[in-house]
Coordinates of all heavy atoms in Angstrom, one line a residue:
M48 N 36.1 -235.4 167.7 CA 36.2 -235.7 166.4 C 37.7 -235.9 165.9 O 38.0 -236.7 165.2 CB 35.5 -234.5 165.6 CG 35.6 -234.7 164.1 SD 34.2 -235.7 163.6 CE 34.3 -235.8 162.0
I49 N 38.6 -235.1 166.6 CA 40.0 -235.2 166.0 C 40.9 -235.8 167.2 O 42.1 -236.0 167.1 CB 40.7 -233.9 165.7 CG1 40.5 -232.9 166.9 CG2 39.8 -233.2 164.5 CD1 41.2 -231.6 166.7
G50 N 40.2 -236.2 168.4 CA 40.9 -237.0 169.4 C 41.7 -236.0 170.3 O 42.6 -236.5 171.1
K51 N 41.6 -234.7 170.3 CA 42.2 -233.8 171.1 C 41.2 -232.7 171.7 O 40.2 -232.5 171.1 CB 43.2 -232.9 170.3 CG 44.3 -233.8 169.7 CD 45.3 -232.8 169.0 CE 46.4 -233.6 168.2 NZ 47.1 -232.8 167.4
P52 N 41.4 -232.2 173.0 CA 40.6 -231.2 173.4 C 40.5 -230.1 172.6 O 41.5 -229.6 172.0 CB 41.0 -231.0 174.9 CG 42.0 -232.1 175.2 CD 42.5 -232.6 173.9
L53 N 39.3 -229.4 172.8 CA 39.4 -228.1 172.0 C 40.4 -227.0 172.7 O 40.3 -227.0 174.0 CB 38.0 -227.5 172.1 CG 36.9 -228.0 171.4 CD1 35.6 -227.5 171.6 CD2 37.1 -227.9 169.8
P54 N 41.0 -226.2 172.0 CA 41.9 -225.2 172.7 C 41.3 -223.9 173.1 O 41.4 -222.9 172.7 CB 42.9 -224.9 171.5 CG 42.2 -225.1 170.3 CD 41.3 -226.1 170.6
L55 N 40.3 -224.2 174.2 CA 39.4 -223.1 174.6 C 40.2 -221.9 175.1 O 39.8 -220.7 174.7 CB 38.5 -223.6 175.7 CG 37.4 -224.7 175.2 CD1 36.8 -225.2 176.4 CD2 36.6 -224.2 174.2
R56 N 41.2 -222.1 175.9 CA 42.0 -221.1 176.5 C 42.7 -220.2 175.5 O 42.8 -219.0 175.5 CB 42.9 -221.5 177.5 CG 42.2 -222.1 178.7 CD 43.1 -221.9 180.1 NE 42.5 -222.6 181.2 CZ 41.5 -222.2 182.0 NH1 41.0 -221.1 181.7 NH2 41.0 -223.0 182.9
D57 N 43.2 -221.0 174.5 CA 43.9 -220.2 173.3 C 43.0 -219.4 172.5 O 43.4 -218.4 171.9 CB 44.6 -221.3 172.4 CG 45.7 -222.1 173.2 OD1 46.3 -221.6 174.1 OD2 46.2 -223.1 172.6
L58 N 41.8 -219.7 172.4 CA 40.8 -219.0 171.8 C 40.1 -217.9 172.6 O 39.3 -217.2 172.1 CB 39.7 -220.0 171.2 CG 40.2 -221.0 170.2 CD1 39.1 -222.1 169.9 CD2 40.7 -220.3 169.0
G59 N 40.4 -217.9 173.8 CA 39.9 -216.8 174.7 C 38.6 -217.1 175.5 O 37.9 -216.5 175.9
F60 N 38.3 -218.5 175.6 CA 37.1 -219.0 176.2 C 37.4 -219.8 177.5 O 38.5 -220.5 177.4 CB 36.2 -219.7 175.4 CG 35.8 -219.0 174.1 CD1 36.4 -219.1 172.9 CD2 34.7 -218.2 174.1 CE1 36.1 -218.4 171.8 CE2 34.2 -217.6 173.0 CZ 34.9 -217.6 171.9
R61 N 36.6 -219.7 178.4 CA 36.7 -220.6 179.7 C 35.9 -222.0 179.6 O 36.2 -222.9 180.3 CB 36.3 -219.8 180.8 CG 37.2 -218.6 181.3 CD 36.6 -217.9 182.4 NE 35.5 -217.1 181.8 CZ 34.6 -216.5 182.6 NH1 34.7 -216.6 183.9 NH2 33.5 -215.8 182.1
S62 N 35.0 -222.0 178.8 CA 34.1 -223.4 178.5 C 33.7 -223.4 177.2 O 33.7 -222.5 176.5 CB 33.0 -223.2 179.5 OG 32.1 -222.3 179.1
T63 N 33.3 -224.7 176.9 CA 32.7 -224.9 175.5 C 31.4 -224.2 175.4 O 31.0 -223.7 174.3 CB 32.4 -226.5 175.5 OG1 33.6 -227.2 175.8 CG2 32.0 -226.9 174.0
L64 N 30.6 -224.1 176.4 CA 29.4 -223.3 176.4 C 29.7 -221.8 176.0 O 28.9 -221.2 175.3 CB 28.6 -223.3 177.9 CG 27.2 -222.8 177.9 CD1 26.2 -223.4 176.7 CD2 26.7 -222.8 179.1
E65 N 30.7 -221.2 176.5 CA 31.0 -219.8 176.1 C 31.3 -219.9 174.7 O 31.0 -218.8 173.8 CB 32.2 -219.3 176.9 CG 31.9 -218.8 178.1 CD 33.1 -218.1 178.8 OE1 34.2 -217.9 178.1 OE2 33.1 -217.6 180.0
L66 N 32.2 -220.8 174.1 CA 32.5 -220.9 172.7 C 31.3 -221.1 171.9 O 31.2 -220.1 170.9 CB 33.4 -222.2 172.5 CG 33.6 -222.4 171.0 CD1 34.7 -221.4 170.5 CD2 34.3 -223.8 170.8
V67 N 30.3 -221.9 172.1 CA 29.1 -221.9 171.3 C 28.2 -220.8 171.4 O 27.5 -220.5 170.5 CB 28.5 -223.3 171.5 CG1 29.3 -224.4 171.0 CG2 27.9 -223.6 172.8
A68 N 28.1 -220.3 172.6 CA 27.3 -219.0 172.7 C 27.8 -217.9 172.0 O 26.9 -217.0 171.6 CB 27.2 -218.7 174.3
D69 N 29.0 -217.8 171.7 CA 29.6 -216.8 170.9 C 29.4 -216.9 169.4 O 30.0 -216.1 168.5 CB 31.0 -216.6 171.3 CG 31.6 -215.2 170.8 OD1 31.1 -214.2 171.2 OD2 32.7 -215.2 170.3
M70 N 28.8 -218.1 169.1 CA 28.6 -218.4 167.5 C 27.1 -218.4 167.2 O 26.7 -219.6 166.8 CB 29.3 -219.6 167.2 CG 30.8 -219.6 167.4 SD 31.6 -221.1 166.9 CE 30.8 -222.3 167.7
P71 N 26.3 -217.4 167.4 CA 24.9 -217.6 167.3 C 24.4 -217.8 165.8 O 23.4 -218.3 165.5 CB 24.3 -216.1 167.6 CG 25.4 -215.2 167.5 CD 26.7 -216.0 167.6
E72 N 25.5 -217.6 164.8 CA 25.0 -217.9 163.4 C 25.3 -219.4 163.1 O 24.9 -219.8 162.1 CB 25.9 -217.0 162.4 CG 27.4 -217.3 162.3 CD 28.2 -216.7 163.5 OE1 27.6 -215.9 164.5 OE2 29.4 -217.0 163.7
V73 N 26.0 -220.0 164.0 CA 26.2 -221.4 163.8 C 25.4 -222.4 164.7 O 24.9 -223.4 164.2 CB 27.7 -221.9 164.2 CG1 28.1 -223.2 163.9 CG2 28.6 -220.9 163.2
V74 N 25.2 -222.0 165.9 CA 24.6 -222.9 166.9 C 23.8 -222.0 168.0 O 24.2 -220.9 168.2 CB 25.6 -223.8 167.7 CG1 26.5 -223.1 168.5 CG2 24.8 -224.8 168.5
R75 N 22.7 -222.5 168.3 CA 21.8 -221.8 169.3 C 21.9 -222.6 170.7 O 21.6 -223.9 170.6 CB 20.4 -221.5 168.9 CG 19.6 -220.8 169.8 CD 18.2 -220.6 169.2 NE 17.5 -221.8 168.9 CZ 16.5 -222.0 168.1 NH1 15.9 -220.8 167.6 NH2 16.0 -223.1 167.8
V76 N 22.2 -222.0 171.8 CA 22.2 -222.5 173.0 C 20.8 -222.4 173.7 O 20.4 -221.2 174.1 CB 23.3 -222.0 173.9 CG1 23.3 -222.7 175.3 CG2 24.7 -222.1 173.2
C77 N 20.2 -223.5 174.1 CA 18.8 -223.5 174.5 C 18.9 -224.0 175.9 O 19.1 -225.3 176.1 CB 17.8 -224.1 173.7 SG 17.7 -223.5 172.1
P78 N 18.4 -223.2 177.1 CA 18.4 -223.8 178.4 C 17.3 -225.0 178.3 O 16.3 -224.8 177.6 CB 18.0 -222.7 179.3 CG 18.2 -221.5 178.5 CD 18.2 -221.8 177.0
Y79 N 17.6 -226.1 179.0 CA 16.8 -227.2 178.8 C 16.2 -227.4 180.4 O 15.4 -226.6 181.0 CB 17.4 -228.5 178.4 CG 16.4 -229.7 178.1 CD1 15.4 -229.4 177.3 CD2 16.7 -230.8 178.7 CE1 14.5 -230.5 177.0 CE2 15.9 -232.0 178.4 CZ 14.8 -231.8 177.6 OH 14.0 -232.8 177.3
E80 N 16.4 -228.5 181.0 CA 15.9 -228.8 182.3 C 17.1 -229.1 183.3 O 18.1 -229.6 182.9 CB 15.0 -229.8 182.4 CG 15.5 -231.2 181.7 CD 14.4 -232.2 181.6 OE1 13.2 -231.8 181.4 OE2 14.7 -233.4 181.7
K81 N 16.9 -228.7 184.5 CA 17.9 -229.1 185.7 C 19.3 -228.5 185.4 O 20.3 -229.2 185.5 CB 18.0 -230.5 185.9 CG 16.7 -231.1 186.4 CD 16.8 -232.5 186.6 CE 15.5 -233.2 187.1 NZ 15.6 -234.6 187.3
G82 N 19.3 -227.3 184.7 CA 20.7 -226.7 184.4 C 21.3 -227.1 183.2 O 22.6 -226.9 183.1
T83 N 20.8 -228.1 182.4 CA 21.3 -228.5 181.1 C 21.0 -227.7 180.0 O 20.0 -226.9 180.1 CB 20.9 -230.1 181.0 OG1 19.5 -230.0 180.8 CG2 21.4 -230.9 182.2
F84 N 21.7 -227.9 178.9 CA 21.5 -227.1 177.7 C 21.4 -227.9 176.4 O 21.8 -229.1 176.5 CB 22.6 -226.2 177.5 CG 22.8 -225.1 178.5 CD1 23.6 -225.4 179.5 CD2 22.1 -224.0 178.4 CE1 23.7 -224.3 180.7 CE2 22.3 -222.9 179.3 CZ 23.0 -223.1 180.5
V85 N 20.6 -227.6 175.6 CA 20.4 -228.3 174.2 C 21.1 -227.3 173.2 O 20.8 -226.1 173.1 CB 19.0 -228.5 173.9 CG1 18.8 -229.1 172.5 CG2 18.3 -229.4 174.9
L86 N 22.0 -227.8 172.4 CA 22.6 -227.1 171.3 C 21.8 -227.4 170.0 O 21.7 -228.6 169.6 CB 24.1 -227.4 171.1 CG 24.8 -227.2 172.4 CD1 26.3 -227.6 172.1 CD2 24.8 -225.9 172.8
K87 N 21.4 -226.4 169.3 CA 20.7 -226.6 168.1 C 21.5 -225.8 166.9 O 21.6 -224.7 167.0 CB 19.2 -225.9 168.3 CG 18.4 -226.6 169.2 CD 16.9 -226.0 169.3 CE 16.0 -226.8 170.1 NZ 14.6 -226.3 170.2
A88 N 21.8 -226.7 166.0 CA 22.5 -226.3 164.9 C 21.6 -225.2 164.0 O 20.5 -225.5 163.9 CB 22.9 -227.4 164.0
I89 N 22.1 -224.1 163.5 CA 21.5 -223.3 162.6 C 21.9 -223.6 161.2 O 23.0 -223.8 160.8 CB 22.0 -221.9 162.9 CG1 21.9 -221.4 164.4 CG2 21.2 -220.8 161.9 CD1 20.5 -221.3 164.9
A90 N 20.8 -223.9 160.5 CA 20.9 -224.3 159.1 C 21.4 -223.1 158.1 O 20.9 -222.0 158.4 CB 19.5 -224.9 158.5
D91 N 22.3 -223.3 157.3 CA 22.7 -222.4 156.3 C 22.0 -222.8 154.8 O 21.4 -223.7 154.8 CB 24.1 -222.1 156.3 CG 24.9 -223.4 155.9 OD1 24.3 -224.4 155.3 OD2 26.1 -223.4 155.8
E92 N 22.5 -222.1 153.9 CA 21.9 -222.3 152.5 C 22.2 -223.8 152.1 O 21.3 -224.3 151.4 CB 22.4 -221.4 151.6 CG 22.0 -220.0 151.7 CD 20.5 -219.9 151.7 OE1 19.8 -220.5 150.9 OE2 20.0 -219.2 152.6
T93 N 23.3 -224.3 152.5 CA 23.7 -225.8 152.1 C 22.9 -226.8 152.9 O 22.9 -227.9 152.4 CB 25.2 -225.9 152.1 OG1 25.6 -225.8 153.4 CG2 25.8 -224.9 151.2
T94 N 22.4 -226.5 154.1 CA 21.9 -227.5 154.9 C 20.4 -227.3 155.3 O 19.7 -228.1 155.9 CB 22.5 -227.6 156.3 OG1 22.5 -226.3 156.9 CG2 24.0 -228.1 156.1
K95 N 19.8 -226.2 154.5 CA 18.3 -226.1 154.8 C 17.4 -227.1 154.4 O 16.4 -227.5 155.2 CB 17.9 -224.8 154.1 CG 18.3 -223.5 154.8 CD 17.5 -222.3 154.3 CE 18.0 -221.1 155.1 NZ 17.4 -219.9 154.8
S96 N 17.7 -227.8 153.3 CA 16.8 -228.9 152.9 C 17.0 -230.1 153.8 O 16.0 -230.7 154.1 CB 17.3 -229.4 151.4 OG 18.6 -229.9 151.5
I97 N 18.1 -230.4 154.4 CA 18.3 -231.4 155.5 C 17.5 -231.0 156.8 O 16.8 -231.9 157.3 CB 19.8 -231.6 155.7 CG1 20.5 -232.1 154.6 CG2 19.9 -232.6 156.9 CD1 22.1 -232.1 154.6
A98 N 17.7 -229.7 157.0 CA 16.9 -229.3 158.2 C 15.4 -229.4 158.1 O 14.7 -229.8 159.0 CB 17.3 -227.8 158.6
K99 N 14.9 -229.1 157.0 CA 13.4 -229.4 156.7 C 13.1 -230.8 156.8 O 12.0 -231.2 157.3 CB 13.1 -228.8 155.3 CG 13.1 -227.3 155.1 CD 12.6 -226.8 153.8 CE 12.8 -225.3 153.8 NZ 12.5 -224.8 152.4
L100 N 13.8 -231.8 156.3 CA 13.6 -233.1 156.4 C 13.6 -233.6 157.8 O 12.7 -234.4 158.3 CB 14.6 -234.0 155.6 CG 14.5 -233.9 154.0 CD1 15.8 -234.5 153.5 CD2 13.2 -234.5 153.5
V101 N 14.5 -233.2 158.5 CA 14.6 -233.6 160.1 C 13.4 -233.0 160.7 O 12.8 -233.7 161.6 CB 15.9 -233.0 160.6 CG1 16.0 -233.2 162.1 CG2 17.1 -233.7 160.0
A102 N 13.1 -231.7 160.5 CA 11.8 -231.1 161.0 C 10.6 -231.9 160.8 O 9.6 -232.2 161.7 CB 11.6 -229.7 160.6
R103 N 10.5 -232.3 159.5 CA 9.3 -233.1 159.0 C 9.3 -234.5 159.8 O 8.3 -235.0 160.2 CB 9.4 -233.4 157.6 CG 8.0 -233.7 157.1 CD 7.9 -233.9 155.5 NE 8.7 -232.8 155.0 CZ 9.4 -232.9 153.7 NH1 9.4 -234.1 153.2 NH2 10.0 -231.9 153.2
Q104 N 10.4 -235.2 160.0 CA 10.5 -236.4 160.6 C 10.2 -236.4 162.2 O 9.6 -237.1 162.7 CB 12.0 -236.9 160.5 CG 12.3 -238.3 161.2 CD 13.7 -238.6 161.0 OE1 14.6 -237.8 160.6 NE2 14.1 -239.9 161.3
R105 N 10.6 -235.2 162.7 CA 10.4 -235.0 164.2 C 8.8 -234.8 164.4 O 8.2 -235.4 165.2 CB 11.0 -233.7 164.8 CG 12.4 -233.8 165.0 CD 13.0 -232.6 165.5 NE 14.4 -232.7 165.5 CZ 15.2 -231.8 165.4 NH1 14.6 -230.5 165.2 NH2 16.5 -231.9 165.4
R106 N 8.1 -234.0 163.4 CA 6.7 -233.9 163.5 C 5.9 -235.2 163.5 O 5.1 -235.5 164.3 CB 6.1 -233.0 162.6 CG 6.5 -231.5 162.9 CD 5.7 -230.6 162.0 NE 6.1 -230.6 160.5 CZ 7.0 -229.9 160.0 NH1 7.6 -229.0 160.9 NH2 7.3 -230.0 158.8
S107 N 6.4 -236.1 162.5 CA 5.7 -237.3 162.4 C 6.0 -238.4 163.5 O 5.2 -239.1 163.9 CB 6.1 -238.0 161.0 OG 7.3 -238.3 161.0
A108 N 7.1 -238.3 164.0 CA 7.5 -239.1 165.2 C 6.7 -238.6 166.4 O 6.2 -239.5 167.2 CB 8.9 -239.0 165.6
R109 N 6.5 -237.4 166.6 CA 5.6 -237.0 167.6 C 4.1 -237.3 167.5 O 3.4 -237.6 168.5 CB 5.6 -235.3 167.9 CG 6.8 -234.8 168.5 CD 6.8 -233.3 168.8 NE 8.0 -232.7 168.6 CZ 8.3 -231.7 168.0 NH1 7.4 -231.0 167.4 NH2 9.7 -231.3 168.1
A110 N 3.7 -237.4 166.3 CA 2.3 -237.7 166.0 C 2.1 -239.2 166.4 O 0.9 -239.6 166.8 CB 2.0 -237.5 164.5
R111 N 3.2 -240.1 166.3 CA 3.0 -241.4 166.6 C 3.1 -241.7 168.1 O 2.6 -242.8 168.5 CB 4.1 -242.2 165.8 CG 3.9 -242.3 164.5 CD 4.9 -243.3 163.7 NE 6.3 -243.0 163.9 CZ 7.1 -242.5 163.2 NH1 6.6 -242.0 162.0 NH2 8.4 -242.1 163.4
K112 N 3.6 -240.9 168.8 CA 3.8 -241.0 170.2 C 2.5 -241.0 170.8 O 1.6 -240.1 170.6 CB 4.8 -240.1 171.0 CG 6.1 -240.4 170.7 CD 7.1 -239.4 171.3 CE 8.5 -239.7 171.0 NZ 9.4 -238.8 171.8
S113 N 2.2 -241.7 171.9 CA 0.9 -241.6 172.7 C 1.0 -240.7 173.8 O 0.1 -240.1 174.2 CB 0.5 -243.1 173.2 OG 1.5 -243.6 174.0
S114 N 2.2 -240.4 174.3 CA 2.3 -239.6 175.4 C 2.6 -238.1 174.8 O 3.1 -237.9 173.9 CB 3.5 -240.0 176.3 OG 4.7 -239.8 175.6
A115 N 2.1 -237.1 175.7 CA 2.2 -235.7 175.3 C 3.7 -235.1 175.6 O 4.3 -235.6 176.6 CB 1.0 -234.9 176.0
V116 N 4.0 -234.3 174.8 CA 5.4 -233.7 175.1 C 5.2 -232.4 175.8 O 4.2 -231.7 175.5 CB 6.2 -233.4 173.8 CG1 7.4 -232.7 174.0 CG2 6.4 -234.7 173.0
K117 N 5.9 -232.2 176.8 CA 5.8 -231.0 177.6 C 6.1 -229.7 176.8 O 6.9 -229.6 176.0 CB 6.7 -230.8 178.8 CG 6.5 -232.0 180.0 CD 7.6 -231.7 181.0 CE 7.4 -232.7 182.1 NZ 8.4 -232.6 183.1
A118 N 5.1 -228.6 177.1 CA 5.3 -227.5 176.1 C 6.5 -226.7 176.4 O 7.2 -226.2 175.6 CB 4.1 -226.7 176.2
D119 N 6.9 -226.6 177.6 CA 8.1 -225.9 178.1 C 9.4 -226.6 177.5 O 10.4 -225.9 177.3 CB 8.1 -225.6 179.5 CG 8.3 -226.9 180.3 OD1 7.9 -228.0 179.9 OD2 8.7 -226.8 181.5
A120 N 9.3 -227.8 177.3 CA 10.6 -228.6 176.9 C 10.7 -228.3 175.3 O 11.8 -228.2 174.7 CB 10.5 -230.0 177.1
A121 N 9.6 -228.1 174.7 CA 9.7 -227.9 173.1 C 10.0 -226.6 172.9 O 10.7 -226.2 171.8 CB 8.3 -228.1 172.6
S122 N 9.8 -225.5 173.7 CA 10.2 -224.1 173.4 C 10.8 -223.5 174.8 O 10.2 -222.9 175.5 CB 9.0 -223.2 173.0 OG 7.9 -223.3 174.1
P123 N 12.2 -223.9 175.0 CA 12.7 -223.4 176.2 C 12.8 -221.8 176.3 O 12.8 -221.1 175.3 CB 14.1 -223.9 176.1 CG 14.3 -224.3 174.7 CD 12.9 -224.5 174.0
S124 N 12.8 -221.3 177.5 CA 12.8 -219.9 177.7 C 14.2 -219.3 177.3 O 15.2 -220.1 177.4 CB 12.6 -219.6 179.2 OG 13.5 -220.0 179.9
K125 N 14.2 -218.1 177.0 CA 15.5 -217.4 176.5 C 15.8 -216.5 177.8 O 15.7 -215.3 177.8 CB 15.3 -216.6 175.3 CG 14.9 -217.6 174.2 CD 14.8 -216.8 172.8 CE 14.6 -217.6 171.7 NZ 14.2 -217.0 170.5
N126 N 16.3 -217.1 178.8 CA 16.7 -216.3 179.9 C 18.2 -216.1 179.8 O 19.0 -216.9 179.9 CB 16.5 -217.3 181.2 CG 16.9 -216.6 182.5 OD1 17.3 -215.4 182.5 ND2 16.5 -217.4 183.6
P127 N 18.6 -214.8 179.7 CA 19.9 -214.3 179.5 C 20.8 -214.7 180.6 O 22.0 -214.7 180.6 CB 19.8 -212.8 179.2 CG 18.4 -212.4 179.6 CD 17.7 -213.6 179.6
Q128 N 20.2 -214.8 181.9 CA 20.9 -215.0 183.1 C 21.4 -216.6 183.1 O 22.3 -216.8 183.9 CB 20.1 -214.6 184.3 CG 19.8 -213.2 184.4 CD 18.8 -213.0 185.6 OE1 18.2 -213.8 186.1 NE2 18.7 -211.7 185.8
S129 N 20.8 -217.3 182.3 CA 21.3 -218.7 182.2 C 22.7 -218.9 181.5 O 23.3 -219.9 181.7 CB 20.3 -219.6 181.5 OG 19.0 -219.5 182.0
F130 N 23.1 -217.8 180.8 CA 24.3 -218.0 180.1 C 25.5 -217.4 180.9 O 25.3 -216.5 181.5 CB 24.2 -217.2 178.7 CG 23.1 -217.8 177.9 CD1 22.0 -217.2 177.7 CD2 23.4 -219.0 177.1 CE1 21.0 -217.8 176.9 CE2 22.6 -219.5 176.3 CZ 21.3 -218.9 176.1
P131 N 26.6 -218.1 180.8 CA 27.7 -217.3 181.5 C 28.2 -216.0 181.1 O 28.1 -215.7 180.0 CB 28.9 -218.4 181.1 CG 28.5 -219.2 179.9 CD 27.1 -219.1 180.0
Q132 N 28.5 -215.2 182.1 CA 28.9 -213.9 181.8 C 30.5 -213.8 181.7 O 31.1 -214.6 182.3 CB 28.5 -213.0 183.1 CG 27.1 -212.9 183.4 CD 26.2 -212.3 182.2 OE1 26.6 -211.4 181.7 NE2 25.1 -213.0 181.9
R133 N 30.8 -212.9 180.7 CA 32.3 -212.7 180.6 C 32.5 -211.3 180.2 O 31.7 -210.5 179.9 CB 32.7 -213.5 179.4 CG 32.1 -213.3 178.0 CD 32.6 -214.2 176.9 NE 32.0 -214.1 175.7 CZ 30.9 -214.6 175.3 NH1 30.2 -215.4 176.0 NH2 30.5 -214.3 174.1
G134 N 33.8 -210.8 180.5 CA 34.1 -209.5 180.4 C 34.2 -209.0 179.0 O 33.8 -207.9 178.7
R135 N 34.9 -209.8 178.3 CA 35.2 -209.3 177.0 C 34.8 -210.5 175.9 O 34.8 -211.7 176.3 CB 36.7 -209.1 176.6 CG 37.6 -210.4 176.9 CD 39.0 -210.0 176.6 NE 39.8 -211.1 177.0 CZ 40.1 -212.1 176.0 NH1 39.6 -212.1 174.8 NH2 40.8 -213.2 176.4
A136 N 34.4 -210.1 174.7 CA 33.9 -211.1 173.8 C 35.2 -211.4 172.9 O 35.7 -210.6 172.1 CB 32.9 -210.5 172.9
P137 N 35.7 -212.6 173.1 CA 36.8 -213.0 172.3 C 36.5 -213.3 170.8 O 35.3 -213.5 170.3 CB 37.3 -214.4 172.8 CG 36.1 -214.9 173.6 CD 35.3 -213.7 174.0
V138 N 37.4 -213.1 169.9 CA 37.2 -213.2 168.4 C 37.5 -214.6 168.1 O 38.7 -215.0 168.3 CB 38.1 -212.2 167.7 CG1 37.8 -212.5 166.3 CG2 37.7 -210.8 168.1
L139 N 36.7 -215.3 167.5 CA 36.7 -216.7 167.1 C 37.3 -216.7 165.7 O 36.5 -216.2 164.8 CB 35.5 -217.5 167.2 CG 35.6 -218.9 167.2 CD1 36.5 -219.6 168.3 CD2 34.2 -219.6 167.3
P140 N 38.4 -217.3 165.4 CA 38.8 -217.4 164.0 C 37.8 -218.0 163.1 O 37.2 -218.9 163.5 CB 40.1 -218.3 164.0 CG 40.6 -218.3 165.5 CD 39.2 -218.0 166.3
A141 N 37.7 -217.5 161.9 CA 36.7 -218.0 160.9 C 36.9 -219.4 160.6 O 36.0 -220.2 160.4 CB 36.8 -217.1 159.6
T142 N 38.1 -219.9 160.6 CA 38.4 -221.3 160.2 C 37.8 -222.3 161.3 O 37.2 -223.2 161.0 CB 39.9 -221.5 160.2 OG1 40.5 -221.1 161.2 CG2 40.5 -220.8 158.9
V143 N 37.9 -221.8 162.5 CA 37.4 -222.5 163.7 C 35.8 -222.6 163.5 O 35.1 -223.6 163.7 CB 38.0 -222.0 165.1 CG1 37.2 -222.8 166.2 CG2 39.4 -222.0 165.2
K144 N 35.2 -221.4 163.3 CA 33.7 -221.3 163.1 C 33.4 -222.3 162.0 O 32.3 -223.0 162.1 CB 33.3 -220.0 162.8 CG 33.2 -219.1 164.1 CD 32.6 -217.8 163.7 CE 32.5 -216.9 164.9 NZ 31.9 -215.6 164.5
D145 N 34.0 -222.2 160.8 CA 33.8 -223.2 159.7 C 33.7 -224.6 159.9 O 32.9 -225.3 159.6 CB 34.7 -222.7 158.5 CG 34.4 -221.4 157.9 OD1 33.2 -220.8 158.2 OD2 35.2 -220.9 157.3
E146 N 34.7 -225.0 160.7 CA 35.1 -226.4 161.1 C 33.9 -226.8 162.0 O 33.3 -227.9 162.0 CB 36.4 -226.5 161.8 CG 37.6 -226.5 160.7 CD 38.9 -226.6 161.5 OE1 38.9 -227.0 162.6 OE2 39.9 -226.4 160.7
L147 N 33.6 -225.9 163.0 CA 32.4 -226.2 163.9 C 31.1 -226.3 163.2 O 30.3 -227.2 163.5 CB 32.4 -225.3 165.1 CG 33.5 -225.4 166.1 CD1 33.4 -224.3 167.1 CD2 33.3 -226.8 166.9
Q148 N 30.9 -225.4 162.3 CA 29.7 -225.4 161.5 C 29.7 -226.7 160.7 O 28.5 -227.4 160.5 CB 29.6 -224.2 160.6 CG 28.3 -224.1 159.9 CD 28.0 -222.8 159.4 OE1 29.0 -221.9 159.2 NE2 26.7 -222.4 159.1
D149 N 30.8 -227.2 160.1 CA 30.8 -228.5 159.3 C 30.4 -229.7 160.3 O 29.7 -230.5 159.9 CB 32.2 -228.7 158.7 CG 32.4 -227.8 157.5 OD1 31.4 -227.2 157.0 OD2 33.5 -227.6 157.1
L150 N 31.0 -229.6 161.5 CA 30.7 -230.7 162.4 C 29.3 -230.8 162.7 O 28.7 -231.9 162.9 CB 31.5 -230.5 163.7 CG 33.0 -230.9 163.6 CD1 33.7 -230.5 164.9 CD2 33.2 -232.3 163.3
L151 N 28.6 -229.6 163.0 CA 27.2 -229.6 163.3 C 26.4 -229.8 162.2 O 25.2 -230.3 162.3 CB 26.9 -228.3 163.9 CG 27.5 -227.9 165.2 CD1 27.3 -226.4 165.6 CD2 26.9 -228.8 166.3
S152 N 26.7 -229.8 160.9 CA 25.9 -230.0 159.7 C 26.0 -231.4 159.6 O 25.1 -232.1 159.2 CB 26.6 -229.5 158.5 OG 26.6 -228.1 158.5

């Protein structure tokens, strides 16, 4: 977005996945398939109406599809071993959380 890499090490993280996993109020990390992840933004009071519209749009799009969607892809398992382990939980500055939340909105 700003043309520069995220300063992960300065913030105390080793990877982008660690960064977003430490912000459960902003984004949810869901294991997907073949070791990949899906990031799902968490709606707040200002974005709940948009989230409802998107959810409604997804439901109608699924109804139009002729092929069935895999049940396990729609509700990925919550396997805590899939997330990277770290010794200490770094404190993410509120301004960084706010900016990432704005980007995800």
Side-chain angles (χ1 to χ4, degrees):
M48 184 84 179
I49 59 171
K51 296 179 186 176
L53 290 171
L55 297 172
R56 293 206 190 280
D57 295 342
L58 296 170
F60 298 97
R61 290 177 285 167
S62 69
T63 307
L64 186 57
E65 275 189 11
L66 172 72
V67 296
D69 197 51
M70 298 186 303
E72 68 279 357
V73 176
V74 64
R75 185 174 55 195
V76 180
C77 301
Y79 191 56
E80 55 188 28
K81 298 181 184 176
T83 61
F84 295 91
V85 174
L86 302 179
K87 295 185 178 185
I89 305 296
D91 63 5
E92 293 303 317
T93 61
T94 59
K95 278 191 180 188
S96 60
I97 296 170
K99 286 179 184 178
L100 290 171
V101 171
R103 199 177 320 144
Q104 181 181 11
R105 285 185 192 145
R106 281 193 296 269
S107 65
R109 278 190 212 133
R111 287 190 302 260
K112 284 185 180 180
S113 61
S114 63
V116 176
K117 291 181 182 179
D119 61 340
S122 58
S124 66
K125 295 180 180 177
N126 183 358
Q128 295 174 346
S129 299
F130 297 102
Q132 300 294 318
R133 59 185 184 270
R135 62 177 179 85
V138 177
L139 191 63
T142 55
V143 174
K144 281 187 180 181
D145 291 342
E146 289 176 9
L147 286 171
Q148 191 166 14
D149 287 343
L150 283 173
L151 291 169
S152 295

